[in-house]
Amino acid sequence: MEWMMYIDGKWTKGEKEKTFDTINPFDGSVLASIYESSEKDTLDAIKAAKYSFYEDRKWRDLDSQTRGDILLKIADTLEEKKDEFAKLEVLDNGKPLREAICDVDDAIHNFRYYASLIKTPQGGVYEVNEGFGKMHSYTIHEPTGVCALITPWNYPLLMGVWKLAPALAAGNSVIFKPSPYCVLSSIKLFEIFEDVGIPKGACNLLIGGAEVGNILSSSMDVDMITFTGSTKAGQSVMRNAAGNVKKIGLELGGKSPNIIFADSDLEGAVEWAMLGIFLNQGQICSAGSRILVEEKFHDEFVKRLVERANNITLGNPMNNPDMGPIVNETQMNRVLNYIFIGIKENAKLIAGGYRYTEGECKNGYFIKPTIFDYCDRDMTIVKEEIFGPVVTIQTFKTEEEAIMLANDSPYGLAGAVFTSDGAKALRVIKEIRAGITWINCYNPCFNEAPWGGYKMSGIGRELGVHGLEEYQEIKQININLNPGKVGWYEH
Ligand code: NAD
């Protein structure tokens, strides 16, 4: 099949018909050749979305009930093709099949969730003062306009759906640009969009990297940009968006603390800590990459964590090992470089720490689950987001010290607390400056609940009701219940 972009209701090889290869990270083989969008293609997509929203208006003017029904059809088709989507995600991204199946399930439910939400009452009625006479004051929610959506490669399908489902539900015209590292599932998703009859121009798919992203974030014709990715790129998006004061949503990086008190259930804390950092090969923005363990529990906890981490299986992600490969060679080398820095800075490497090339993994980008003990707050590996299966361990003596260390980061995306003392759990979690937190678990994520970061982890919230409102403007309407003269100038 030819992997193309989708602009103004047409599949196209783009102006230059230029392609690049995408690699299967399990064995380094070429998976597909993909057409790349040029500047002209990008401008064409913006033009198409603008025409669709402001002139054609077919999608925007469709009543919400019908738009919701179309989203339900997307969900149903995705469900029929679940196997195909999950396998494509495995081949392209390297995540184990059972994780990819969960991602597709979440994507299906996300479409269903926003399909229902857009059918529920929007806006509200306000009690206002009668300074200018009796007024009926209420709000309506309207689509924002032309929305550019940019996503990373770690959850290629799901990160896109988190934006596409609410943006489309709200009636916007969208231009979607996934990470060029993993675009195959996005292309397949747009085939579904075409099949269910989303009008031309209302959904456009561009394929490319920062150049395309820059044009989108700078364009005076784009009304909103929502970006998920690294904080550095997010800062650039924010600067560019200032040109026409676009609405922005930013879901950025993290370096999240996982606090383990000595009164935790040992096996539970160890397993969740592993899920926190080794799921998706640690390529999760909310990863619990900084374990903070109470000093008196340190030896027992760390011993068990290392035992279990060493038992993690690596292999062909299609056969459901515990971990698959890192997404590509560049990312693998980036993670290995951090491991090298950790060793150089005298953190104690107690598990993994190297590329794994045994047996069927010989040509893949595998990294053994890696644990650094006796880390301190000045180390690079404690401060910077590694985005791989690498966790650091620090110790604390008191609740106050745990909170101080947890918040000792410019990021504020996620965090967790493990303890059997309910009041302590609530006290500590309230002090964590982060948008997504857990008590006695790590990483579960729900379509219904808002997702986003404090501090340098972002602006705004995805998912839940907030995730829909991100893509809506709220208009206040005030109706004079006694039309006619006020007499203001007759004093
Ligand atoms: P990245 O910033 O390199 O790229 C993300 C996306 O932005 C890609 O589509 C890329 O092509 C595009 N891009 C890159 N530079 C750009 C620029 N200057 N202007 C516009 N677009 C640009 O990130 P990545 O390596 O793809 O993903 C990993 C990062 O994403 C990590 O930092 C991770 O924490 C973050 N992330 C955050 C969340 C969240 O919900 N907060 C979720 C997933 C990933």
Side-chain angles (χ1 to χ4, degrees):
M1 117 160 220
E2 296 208 282
W3 301 92
M4 294 185 268
M5 61 204 87
Y6 186 71
I7 299 173
D8 202 16
K10 289 190 260 333
W11 291 99
T12 161
K13 296 176 180 175
E15 174 207 13
K16 297 190 172 149
E17 301 200 4
K18 190 177 154 218
T19 59
F20 65 95
D21 290 339
T22 193
I23 305 294
N24 179 345
F26 165 59
D27 57 10
S29 62
V30 174
L31 193 58
S33 193
I34 300 158
Y35 289 97
E36 190 175 349
S37 308
S38 67
E39 180 179 350
K40 179 178 179 300
D41 300 324
T42 308
L43 295 175
D44 284 350
I46 296 172
K47 200 168 144 195
K50 189 177 173 190
Y51 183 83
S52 146
F53 189 80
Y54 290 101
E55 310 284 330
D56 181 59
R57 300 178 60 125
K58 282 202 184 71
W59 183 245
R60 165 187 179 180
D61 284 348
L62 210 57
D63 63 85
S64 303
Q65 308 299 320
T66 313
R67 274 206 310 273
D69 286 344
I70 292 179
L71 257 64
L72 289 176
K73 273 194 211 154
I74 296 171
D76 291 347
T77 316
L78 200 50
E79 195 160 43
E80 280 160 27
K81 299 182 172 195
K82 186 155 98 180
D83 193 51
E84 180 191 347
F85 270 84
K87 287 187 173 148
L88 205 53
E89 207 78 325
V90 173
L91 292 172
D92 208 3
N93 172 277
K95 63 179 67 203
L97 183 61
R98 63 180 175 154
E99 292 187 32
I101 291 171
C102 290
D103 292 0
V104 185
D105 273 333
D106 273 358
I108 294 164
H109 290 130
N110 191 289
F111 277 113
R112 293 201 174 126
Y113 174 74
Y114 284 110
S116 329
L117 200 60
I118 201 63
K119 297 181 180 192
T120 60
Q122 312 272 308
V125 178
Y126 295 84
E127 291 302 321
V128 292
N129 72 45
E130 295 183 4
F132 279 89
K134 272 201 183 307
M135 295 277 170
H136 177 68
S137 179
Y138 71 105
T139 53
I140 57 168
H141 292 193
E142 297 182 330
T144 301
V146 175
C147 298
L149 321 173
I150 300 181
T151 55
W153 45 263
N154 61 337
Y155 287 83
L157 176 70
L158 198 55
M159 289 296 98
V161 170
W162 281 16
K163 298 184 190 305
L164 286 160
L168 288 171
N172 295 287
S173 290
V174 306
I175 304 149
F176 176 44
K177 191 207 81 63
S179 164
Y181 290 163
C182 300
V183 294
L184 302 186
S185 55
S186 300
I187 294 173
K188 283 281 167 195
L189 181 65
F190 269 67
E191 286 180 3
I192 298 182
F193 288 177
E194 186 185 33
D195 289 347
V196 298
I198 296 185
K200 81 187 184 84
C203 60
N204 303 275
L205 171 68
L206 291 173
I207 297 165
E211 320 73 48
V212 174
N214 265 319
I215 300 168
L216 293 172
S217 59
S218 319
S219 170
M220 299 298 277
D221 291 326
V222 170
D223 301 304
M224 170 174 202
I225 187 146
T226 62
F227 172 88
T228 301
S230 61
T231 295
K232 191 160 174 268
Q235 288 169 318
S236 158
V237 166
M238 194 169 173
R239 275 191 294 272
N240 289 347
N244 64 334
V245 196
K246 283 180 191 60
K247 266 185 91 173
I248 53 172
L250 299 175
E251 297 288 343
L252 308 177
K255 189 75 186 175
S256 301
N258 185 4
I259 305 173
I260 321 273
F261 282 99
D263 58 358
S264 308
D265 172 86
L266 176 68
E267 290 303 320
V270 167
E271 187 180 9
W272 282 110
M274 289 167 60
L275 281 163
I277 189 62
F278 300 134
L279 209 63
N280 207 32
Q281 293 69 249
Q283 304 164 132
I284 304 189
C285 52
S286 58
S289 51
R290 289 187 294 138
I291 291 180
L292 309 174
V293 60
E294 192 167 348
E295 202 173 76
K296 60 185 176 198
F297 196 46
H298 168 272
D299 294 357
E300 195 183 347
F301 174 81
V302 170
K303 180 168 171 277
R304 189 67 183 129
L305 182 68
V306 169
E307 268 168 23
R308 294 214 54 191
N310 283 338
N311 281 335
I312 281 182
T313 55
L314 285 84
N316 185 343
M318 214 52 103
N319 300 330
N320 273 326
D322 295 328
M323 267 174 48
I326 301 293
V327 70
N328 59 31
E329 194 172 4
T330 313
Q331 276 302 118
M332 177 188 70
N333 288 333
R334 200 177 154 268
V335 176
L336 289 172
N337 188 46
Y338 272 113
I339 294 174
F340 174 72
I341 293 172
I343 295 168
K344 227 174 68 183
E345 290 184 343
N346 290 326
K348 189 171 175 202
L349 182 64
I350 54 170
Y354 56 92
R355 179 177 182 182
Y356 181 77
T357 51
E358 281 181 28
E360 64 177 5
C361 298
K362 62 180 184 300
N363 295 321
Y365 309 126
F366 291 86
I367 295 182
K368 279 288 261 186
T370 299
I371 306 175
F372 279 106
D373 201 2
Y374 301 108
C375 296
D376 67 56
R377 50 199 291 211
D378 298 323
M379 289 177 178
T380 309
I381 54 169
V382 171
K383 291 194 289 193
E384 295 183 13
E385 183 184 47
I386 297 175
F387 220 57
V390 181
V391 69
T392 62
I393 298 177
Q394 295 165 267
T395 55
F396 64 86
K397 286 198 182 73
T398 62
E399 197 175 308
E400 293 69 33
E401 193 187 3
I403 293 166
M404 182 277 290
L405 289 173
N407 288 331
D408 184 26
S409 169
Y411 295 113
L413 189 60
V417 178
F418 284 79
T419 170
S420 50
D421 177 340
K424 181 161 67 180
L426 292 177
R427 267 196 315 274
V428 174
I429 217 75
K430 275 188 70 171
E431 292 301 322
I432 305 298
R433 302 281 300 158
I436 308 143
T437 64
W438 297 279
I439 293 175
N440 292 331
C441 59
Y442 205 106
N443 261 342
C445 167
F446 308 102
N447 282 318
E448 299 77 10
W451 178 277
Y454 287 21
K455 302 198 272 183
M456 287 178 80
S457 289
I459 296 175
R461 294 291 178 270
E462 297 201 294
L463 302 181
V465 178
H466 296 80
L468 177 62
E469 288 178 353
E470 288 273 291
Y471 297 95
Q472 293 175 318
E473 293 286 6
I474 298 176
K475 178 179 284 175
Q476 172 184 142
I477 301 176
N478 301 301
I479 306 170
N480 184 357
L481 296 181
N482 292 301
K485 237 169 93 173
V486 184
W488 178 261
Y489 295 101
E490 292 160 17
H491 55 105

